[in-house]
Amino acid sequence: EVERVASGGGLVQPGGSLTLSCVTSGFTFREQIMEWVRQAPGKGQEWVAQILADGSRTFYAGAVKGRFTISRDNAKNTVYLQLNDLKTEDTGMYFCTDTETRFRGQGTQVTVSS
């Protein structure tokens, strides 16, 4: 059974930073392309970032490029998302997922507000 738990969210002022983590189990993490997605209240899911299985390449949505950084530690079955220069429009529930199962698991709330 795949389990996936994201953490590290919180309330932060515009311009602030957060580091999200997502620990996974139940599948071969090191073979999976991992992604972060988010969902704002009343809106659909939005793709944020992707990292290849070996961490060699990363990809970002235009809205976060230059501000967010995705990384992974295959020894810890964990994917990270560093969020810098946060904006109010970054508010939402953040989930990690993989490109094979698309299973989101437990997300973490990020709220950017002054």
Side-chain angles (χ1 to χ4, degrees):
E1 180 182 355
V2 177
E3 293 189 359
R4 195 158 286 158
V5 179
S7 62
L11 173 62
V12 63
Q13 292 185 341
S17 298
L18 287 171
T19 302
L20 308 185
S21 301
C22 181
V23 181
T24 69
S25 63
F27 79 141
T28 310
F29 179 81
R30 66 181 180 274
E31 296 180 354
Q32 301 300 323
I33 299 171
M34 297 299 296
E35 298 183 328
W36 283 93
V37 299
R38 66 186 181 186
Q39 189 159 14
K43 295 187 177 181
Q45 179 173 292
E46 177 186 16
W47 174 78
V48 174
Q50 183 187 89
I51 185 167
L52 298 189
D54 63 359
S56 61
R57 293 192 69 182
T58 57
F59 306 91
Y60 299 92
V64 308
K65 195 170 185 179
R67 300 188 297 120
F68 291 7
T69 302
I70 187 172
S71 61
R72 66 191 294 160
D73 185 337
N74 285 351
K76 296 182 178 179
N77 286 2
T78 302
V79 60
Y80 304 94
L81 188 67
Q82 176 67 40
L83 291 67
N84 295 327
D85 190 23
L86 281 160
K87 305 177 186 300
T88 55
E89 53 263 41
D90 294 319
T91 294
M93 187 70 77
Y94 284 68
F95 304 86
C96 75
T97 184
D98 67 274
T99 57
E100 182 175 326
T101 70
R102 296 296 183 185
F103 174 66
R104 301 195 311 186
Q106 178 180 316
T108 187
Q109 177 68 38
V110 172
T111 302
V112 185
S113 175
S114 55

